[in-house]
Amino acid sequence: AFHLEQLLDWEKGTVQVLNNSFYANEFIEPKLIQEGKKVKFVWFSQTISFGRGLELFIEAAQMFSDKIELVLIGKIDKQFSDTYINSTNHFIQVVSPMSQIDLHKELSNYDIGLAIEQSSADFNREICLTNKLFAYLQAGVFLVATNTKGQTDFLKSQKGYCVLVDQNVNSFSKSIEKIVQSIKQIRLEKENRYSSSKKMSYENEVKKIENQLVNLT
């Protein structure tokens, strides 16, 4: 809101923010992953490529390759595939792009969603809240989120939903280790995260406009 007010030269506090979330019925009851199963991480995009932070995560994850799985959903760039999807990274699986509805239901199968952005990419990546961040939250999936300004500010109010990481391999490594150690509790709280996140659904976000219109009449 602050940056929009500056850009539009509007009075402070006059911009109403609607989060880019989804209808609650696009998500299904989360599936409980059995104890002892590898920790299941997921990341999705139209294109799987460089510059989104995956490189940092994959490098950090290599030392935990016997304890975790990473599923990448989307169309993979050939150079990225040649660099990272190889015999040494056997814990990574690539899945073809899905429709939005199928993707949102698929997310119920995972433990951890990667909401990783790099501040160095561009200013928008520093302040934005992406579709995938809301999709993970609405599916009840625990987040690993990089500490961009936008994500840090938003996730301060989402305690128990995420871990914030610095944008370097060491920070990712520490976070993965902590998640592996805490996975039993993370899985037990999945249903609560799913139920609680319904408050951020699109139908609730729209009420902000409805309330604003009522106040104007």
Side-chain angles (χ1 to χ4, degrees):
F2 171 74
H3 294 288
L4 283 175
E5 286 164 347
Q6 284 190 319
L7 182 64
L8 299 171
D9 195 26
W10 284 7
E11 181 182 350
K12 183 178 180 181
T14 58
V15 173
Q16 180 70 57
V17 175
L18 269 68
N19 289 315
N20 195 21
S21 57
F22 303 94
Y23 287 107
N25 63 8
E26 294 190 17
F27 301 87
I28 61 174
E29 199 84 11
K31 298 176 183 177
L32 184 62
I33 298 173
Q34 294 179 357
E35 187 175 351
K37 294 286 186 179
K38 291 182 178 181
V39 183
K40 299 185 70 172
F41 289 79
V42 63
W43 184 90
F44 66 88
S45 186
Q46 288 296 317
T47 303
I48 303 165
S49 191
F50 301 93
R52 298 293 300 277
L54 282 176
E55 304 95 320
L56 299 174
F57 178 83
I58 291 172
E59 184 176 344
Q62 288 173 339
M63 66 184 72
F64 304 95
S65 61
D66 60 332
K67 297 180 176 66
I68 72 171
E69 299 174 357
L70 170 61
V71 173
L72 304 175
I73 302 174
K75 182 178 180 181
I76 192 163
D77 173 84
K78 185 179 185 306
Q79 186 177 355
F80 188 90
S81 178
D82 291 343
T83 304
Y84 291 105
I85 312 303
N86 51 51
S87 59
T88 59
N89 288 336
H90 59 275
F91 63 96
I92 302 175
Q93 178 186 358
V94 178
V95 175
S96 298
M98 302 178 185
S99 69
Q100 179 174 302
I101 297 298
D102 289 341
L103 173 64
H104 289 170
K105 288 177 169 51
E106 170 69 15
L107 292 178
S108 67
N109 294 308
Y110 297 92
D111 294 307
I112 315 293
L114 299 179
I116 50 179
E117 302 295 337
Q118 289 187 286
S119 300
S120 59
D122 56 52
F123 182 61
N124 182 58
R125 290 295 169 190
E126 173 66 6
I127 64 172
C128 73
L129 298 177
T130 62
N131 294 98
K132 61 169 60 66
L133 182 144
F134 289 103
Y136 295 143
L137 289 172
Q138 289 183 257
V141 176
F142 190 84
L143 297 185
V144 170
T146 45
N147 63 342
T148 60
K149 187 180 189 311
Q151 294 192 150
T152 299
D153 290 347
F154 177 75
L155 292 171
K156 283 178 182 176
S157 62
Q158 307 295 326
K159 292 183 179 179
Y161 288 70
C162 67
V163 58
L164 280 165
V165 299
D166 296 334
Q167 298 168 48
N168 60 67
V169 173
N170 185 53
S171 186
F172 272 112
S173 295
K174 290 179 179 178
S175 297
I176 296 169
E177 182 177 21
K178 185 175 181 180
I179 286 168
V180 169
Q181 293 172 349
S182 309
I183 192 58
K184 182 177 180 179
Q185 189 62 32
I186 289 172
R187 285 172 173 166
L188 287 174
E189 294 170 353
K190 191 174 186 181
E191 175 63 35
N192 290 336
R193 290 193 299 271
Y194 168 74
S195 298
S196 178
S197 68
K198 289 182 179 180
K199 65 181 181 292
M200 64 180 68
S201 65
Y202 181 72
E203 52 264 44
N204 283 330
E205 287 296 302
V206 169
K207 291 177 182 177
K208 295 178 182 178
I209 294 180
E210 295 172 350
N211 293 336
Q212 191 76 13
L213 292 174
V214 169
N215 292 335
L216 292 174
T217 57

